[in-house]
Amino acid sequence: MRVADIPSERLNLLNTGQAESTTLTECLAVDFAALMRATFPDIGQERLSAMRAASGAGITRRMALAAKLIHDAYPQGMGAALCQHKSDTLRGWACYLIAEQEEMPLRTRLMSMRCLADDAHFGVREWAWLAVRPYIAADLDDAISELSVWALDPSERIRRFASEAIRPRGVWCAHLTPLRQRPEQALPVLEPLRADPAAYVQDSVGNWLNDASKDQPGWVQSLCDRWQQENGTPATARICKRALRSIAKKKQT
């Protein structure tokens, strides 16, 4: 489906916060300025104009801008209310409002993000790790220590967050150069996930290691060999197949 194919009635529900998106196309179709005006009618024309002016920017940049404009307008805080909103875009803004709290310790930030990392909507779960990733990059050792506990969580969404938030290359975000150079630093997070029963987590761990294989192929091959010797499970085999896909492709050429 293209954005142009979304019925006007459906688009109006998305733009007024009365419905959550069901596809990536719908996520990308939301008019942030219209949604901001509907949700915060007293936010002011200057901020709405700033949001409109950014309409052609990438969605990650617009998410961060929306949160900054809301934070500046309501310094007393709006994140808690948005966390429970029907609109997934507004819950995504809540992720970035947590990121706006610059003095918040990393552990507190992660715990504040937890309910959004475990959100039922696929998009909100992505915004959760994307919003906090700059703080993870700035405090990588502590982040890995904290996320190693998340990797043991009963929720597959939380376990997936632990892996996805520290992918060396990642998607729609800056790379984590220390992990590109020394991926073994992330083993406290990766090891508990090497035979995870959830495909959602398996895909993330496999993608993590595929990222790492582009810089440290020998390390990834060795790790996968060890995992498959120690854990001869279908889950581990699936992770390793995904992890080694770039290496396998190079061998074929």
Side-chain angles (χ1 to χ4, degrees):
M1 176 186 284
R2 302 170 302 166
V3 171
D5 296 326
I6 301 173
S8 58
E9 296 84 356
R10 175 66 179 166
L11 197 55
N12 181 63
L13 291 175
L14 294 170
N15 288 341
T16 54
Q18 298 179 70
E20 67 176 21
S21 66
T22 57
T23 65
L24 178 58
T25 301
E26 287 191 345
C27 288
L28 297 174
V30 175
D31 182 329
F32 279 23
L35 181 59
M36 184 174 288
R37 183 178 62 248
T39 310
F40 304 102
D42 59 345
I43 198 168
Q45 285 303 314
E46 184 176 348
R47 292 186 176 90
L48 289 174
S49 295
M51 197 72 258
R52 289 191 196 95
S55 62
I59 189 168
T60 305
R61 179 182 168 192
R62 288 186 287 125
M63 292 293 289
L65 175 60
K68 183 180 188 310
L69 294 171
I70 295 167
H71 177 72
D72 290 348
Y74 307 99
Q76 72 275 19
M78 281 289 180
L82 294 185
C83 281
Q84 305 300 321
H85 204 282
K86 179 182 292 187
S87 165
D88 59 287
T89 301
L90 289 173
R91 299 200 303 278
W93 290 358
C95 296
Y96 281 88
L97 280 168
I98 292 171
E100 278 292 310
Q101 312 300 317
E102 295 183 358
E103 302 304 317
M104 185 181 288
L106 180 62
R107 174 176 290 183
T108 305
R109 192 181 306 279
L110 287 171
M111 291 309 298
S112 298
M113 195 69 76
R114 184 182 175 86
C115 65
L116 295 159
D118 202 22
D119 195 277
H121 192 277
F122 66 92
V124 178
R125 297 195 297 270
E126 297 305 305
W127 298 128
W129 72 260
L130 281 164
V132 79
R133 187 169 163 102
Y135 296 98
I136 286 174
D139 199 359
L140 191 55
D141 289 343
D142 283 348
I144 290 171
S145 178
E146 294 291 338
L147 293 174
S148 67
V149 179
W150 287 42
L152 302 171
D153 197 88
S155 169
E156 66 182 65
R157 297 166 181 168
I158 295 296
R159 299 197 305 275
R160 191 258 190 180
F161 179 99
S163 168
E164 203 69 18
I166 56 169
R167 276 181 59 179
R169 291 173 178 257
V171 181
W172 293 357
C173 61
H175 293 182
L176 295 178
T177 301
L179 291 181
R180 288 182 59 182
Q181 296 172 342
R182 295 182 57 240
E184 65 273 14
Q185 295 176 84
L187 283 176
V189 173
L190 298 176
E191 289 282 1
L193 303 176
R194 63 182 177 171
D196 198 281
Y200 190 51
V201 180
Q202 294 167 18
D203 287 349
S204 180
V205 177
N207 289 339
W208 199 109
L209 292 173
N210 187 62
D211 281 357
S213 76
K214 296 169 184 176
D215 296 294
Q216 306 295 337
W219 180 83
V220 172
Q221 183 70 67
S222 178
L223 180 68
C224 287
D225 289 346
R226 176 170 68 80
W227 279 5
Q228 293 187 92
Q229 289 173 4
E230 296 174 353
N231 291 81
T233 66
T236 301
R238 186 172 184 274
I239 288 171
C240 290
K241 181 178 180 180
R242 195 173 188 89
L244 297 171
R245 65 186 186 272
S246 291
I247 293 175
K249 187 175 181 180
K250 283 187 177 181
K251 288 180 179 178
Q252 293 172 358
T253 58

